Amino acid sequence: MAEQTEALRGRERDRVLLVLLSALFFSLITVSIINVALPAIETGLNASAADLQWALTGYSLTFGVVLVAAGRAGDLLGRGRLFLAGVTLFGIASTVASLAPNALVLNLARAVMGVGAGLYNPQVSGLIQQHYRGAERARAFGLFGAVVGTAVAIGPVIGGLLLGSLPSWLGWRMTLGINIPLALLAVILGWRWLPREGRTVRRQHTTDHGSAAPAADNGSDPQGSMPHPHHDLDPFGAVLLGVAVLFVMLPFMVAAENPLAWWALPTGLVVLGIWLLWEHNYARRGHEPMVNLAMFRIRTFSLGAAMITAFFAGTTTIWVLIALFVQNGLGRSALVAGLIGMPSALLSIYSAPLGGRLVVRWGRKIVVFGLLCNLTGLALTAWVSTFVANGAGVWLLALSTLPLGFGAGWINSPNQVLSLRDVPVANGGTAAGIMQTGQRIATAVGTAAVTGLFFQQVAHGYAHALRMGYALIASFVIVALVIALADLAADSRARTADTSPVLSDNERATVRRVVDEDTH
């Protein structure tokens, strides 16, 4: 008997997607909006350089630490419940942060905001994986990618508008306070619209023959797809992985202020090795580990996760360098720096849903094309920066970055579809948590490496520093391109031989069953 999962239909499906993507949007804006608010926070709270460093990194750090455990908990306990709990915690912590009387309270509140965001973000991908099928799933992940691209680019714009239109003491507080009504609305609508345990919703169950059977109105679990005999959360494994992620990310975030933090990196890698051994032995003893390591033998998932990790290591600093170049190098305002990214963000809004539709036909080719567009945008922007530094119009940067926005739309959402397509629905939240954890670690590593190189090269001019930073970003994107090409080649070989070079016969049967379900 195949796994039973329910697909939402019509208006109900659109409502659920609205709630999920709205919450995703404000969790990602929180990452980038703080960049333009740091000078006002420094003045308003008399914050030290270390305080500002933690204001910048504390949210991302706790966000990354809880992702995999949160995805696992959602798979077992109910994704709707974890989503609502995470958004609620995020909203409460945002309220505290916006009213913070000093830097310590601000940084603690932002750390709790990261926990809340880490709790609910894996549920977004998990619920899309669970409740959407075939082309509808591709469309949902297309909109997912559009939200990611827009949130990253528009965060500094919103921050610049708030800081420019409000008194300085209020402007930076509103960059945090803007989350409060958004989180409240997401909780209210989520409580009404999200399928949860014990709620009666219109749904169809997909059988192993692909036919739709009416759901029994018996209060059964609408969250889970695969029944679990008990809720084996593997708490020790969750703690080990959380500590490992914390120690790996920490030095990249704070070593500039405290070089001794680099000692945390080897410690984190050792703890990660211990976690892998624990998970393996935990499964051998008949328990259900937090992460089924066999998931990494699914080629589409493992290569897709590796590709997006390499991509995030570079591209998350693209707009940071633009902001530094425009504000510090050219003496323009934070608002101008933010507005330069708007055309690229708007193009991403268009290209991401388009990529989500085309990925059904083109597969991994569309990701390869998106990466090539990204490399083109990096080269074009590095070239244009020389002319801008010599007096050409700053808005030339808005044109040169257009391929970055278009390319990102054809990378993020199609890769999400391709990476999760062969993962059993019951493990969708865990898989999403693994991918997002990789992205958070990559963001920390890439930001430290790229901004470190940028500041080393500033003595030779901001345009030169931008070019050097973009060269390093391009190297990460090239690694992502090599991985995507390897996956594409493996797909071609698998189609030719009608077999998978990675999966066993039993694993291939499982994948085919899940794919057959999704196509009906």
Side-chain angles (χ1 to χ4, degrees), residues 446-515:
T447 299
V450 174
T451 57
L453 177 62
F454 179 89
F455 286 118
Q456 284 178 1
Q457 299 296 319
V458 160
H460 303 287
Y462 276 90
H464 173 81
L466 179 73
R467 290 193 296 272
M468 293 298 100
Y470 272 25
L472 182 55
I473 291 172
S475 69
F476 287 116
V477 177
I478 289 171
V479 172
L481 178 61
V482 170
I483 296 171
L485 288 170
D487 195 17
L488 179 61
D491 268 341
S492 299
R493 289 195 301 271
R495 282 195 301 271
T496 301
D498 192 27
T499 185
S500 168
V502 176
L503 303 183
S504 67
D505 290 340
N506 288 337
E507 289 168 334
R508 284 198 299 274
T510 300
V511 167
R512 286 179 181 136
R513 184 186 70 213
V514 174
V515 172

Side-chain angles (χ1 to χ4, degrees), residues 3 30 76 101 132 190 212 252:
E3 299 171 1
T30 302
L76 292 180
Y132 296 78
F252 293 100

Side-chain angles (χ1 to χ4, degrees), residues 38-278:
L38 290 177
I41 292 173
E42 181 180 15
T43 301
L45 296 181
N46 194 26
S48 66
D51 292 330
L52 295 177
Q53 180 69 24
W54 280 108
L56 189 64
T57 60
Y59 175 80
S60 297
L61 192 64
T62 53
F63 192 159
V65 165
V66 303
L67 279 167
V68 178
R72 170 66 173 167
D75 290 342
L76 292 180
L77 303 178
R79 294 168 183 138
R81 289 175 175 173
L82 265 291
F83 177 88
L84 291 173
V87 174
T88 300
L89 182 60
F90 181 90
I92 293 171
S94 295
T95 304
V96 175
S98 67
L99 299 174
N102 54 56
L104 177 61
V105 173
L106 172 66
N107 290 336
L108 289 175
R110 276 185 58 82
V112 176
M113 286 170 65
V115 174
L119 282 177
Y120 76 75
N121 262 261
Q123 319 315 327
V124 175
S125 296
L127 286 165
I128 291 175
Q129 177 86 345
Q130 178 179 343
H131 291 298
Y132 296 78
R133 299 288 178 271
E136 285 300 326
R137 180 184 292 175
R139 171 182 171 272
F141 276 125
L143 294 173
F144 181 105
V147 167
V148 171
T150 304
V152 171
I154 206 172
V157 178
I158 295 175
L161 287 172
L162 290 172
L163 290 165
S165 59
L166 296 172
S168 60
W169 65 269
L170 180 60
W172 74 262
R173 294 184 184 276
M174 287 307 300
T175 63
L176 298 160
I178 194 174
N179 293 320
I180 300 169
L182 297 175
L184 180 61
L185 186 61
V187 170
I188 293 171
L189 295 181
W191 181 259
R192 293 185 59 187
W193 293 343
L194 288 182
R196 304 191 305 280
E197 294 85 353
R199 288 288 295 275
T200 300
V201 296
R202 289 184 295 108
R203 64 178 74 91
Q204 65 182 37
H205 286 283
T206 305
T207 67
D208 53 343
H209 301 293
S211 59
D217 185 14
N218 57 3
S220 61
D221 179 9
Q223 294 297 336
S225 330
M226 180 183 294
H228 296 280
H230 59 284
H231 291 161
D232 191 348
L233 288 172
D234 184 14
F236 186 68
V239 171
L240 278 177
L241 183 59
V243 170
V245 172
L246 173 65
F247 277 49
V248 168
M249 291 179 68
L250 189 63
F252 293 100
M253 292 182 163
V254 303
E257 295 291 330
N258 185 1
L260 290 177
W262 284 113
W263 285 104
L265 181 58
T267 304
L269 294 176
V270 169
V271 176
L272 183 63
I274 295 172
W275 172 76
L276 289 170
L277 291 174
W278 169 265

